[in-house]
Amino acid sequence: MAELDAAIPGATHTDIGGLSVDEASAGDARIKRIVYPPGWKWSTDMAPVTGTTSCQHVHVGFIAQGAMDISYDDGRTIQLRAPGFAVLEPGHDGWVVGDESVVFIQVDVGTETQARFGL
């Protein structure tokens, strides 16, 4: 069995903000496999890339491996643990918990994700 973070043949690969992202088109959407390494934190690693104080993107998907904690701008907090589904609204920070990489499978429609999923 292949490792969850192994290269995906035919996928487009990008490294950004300390993340490893492999994606493929699915009609108007994209399916992404995102690997968050141990120690990764949005406000430390991705905020300098986006220029925002919190993540403003919607995330819809499945956590296949690892654990993350999420805090929202309004003070709410949630824990994400594999295996599990995740729906994250805009306005959050997140970080990997523990020594294991997080592997997240995400369905994304770019800037239209929030509206297309009715969030």
Side-chain angles (χ1 to χ4, degrees):
M1 183 172 156
E3 294 293 320
L4 287 174
D5 59 357
I8 300 175
T12 301
H13 180 83
T14 307
D15 292 312
I16 185 168
L19 302 177
S20 174
V21 182
D22 290 283
E23 65 182 276
S25 294
D28 291 340
R30 296 182 312 251
I31 300 173
K32 297 180 179 181
R33 192 267 319 265
I34 306 168
V35 178
Y36 299 79
W40 185 90
K41 185 172 184 178
W42 191 92
S43 56
T44 302
D45 298 303
M46 192 59 79
V49 175
T50 67
T52 59
T53 57
S54 61
C55 182
Q56 298 302 309
H57 194 71
V58 169
H59 304 279
V60 177
F62 177 76
I63 297 177
Q65 173 183 292
M68 290 188 87
D69 284 348
I70 307 296
S71 67
Y72 284 97
D73 293 345
D74 65 7
R76 289 178 294 146
T77 60
I78 61 172
Q79 296 180 334
L80 304 175
R81 304 295 184 260
F85 297 106
V87 177
L88 301 176
E89 301 162 17
H92 61 270
D93 190 3
W95 54 93
V96 173
V97 175
D99 297 329
E100 181 177 42
S101 293
V102 169
V103 177
F104 185 61
I105 311 303
Q106 176 175 305
V107 178
D108 188 308
V109 196
T111 58
E112 295 181 24
T113 301
Q114 186 171 1
R116 296 280 290 273
F117 281 100
L119 300 169

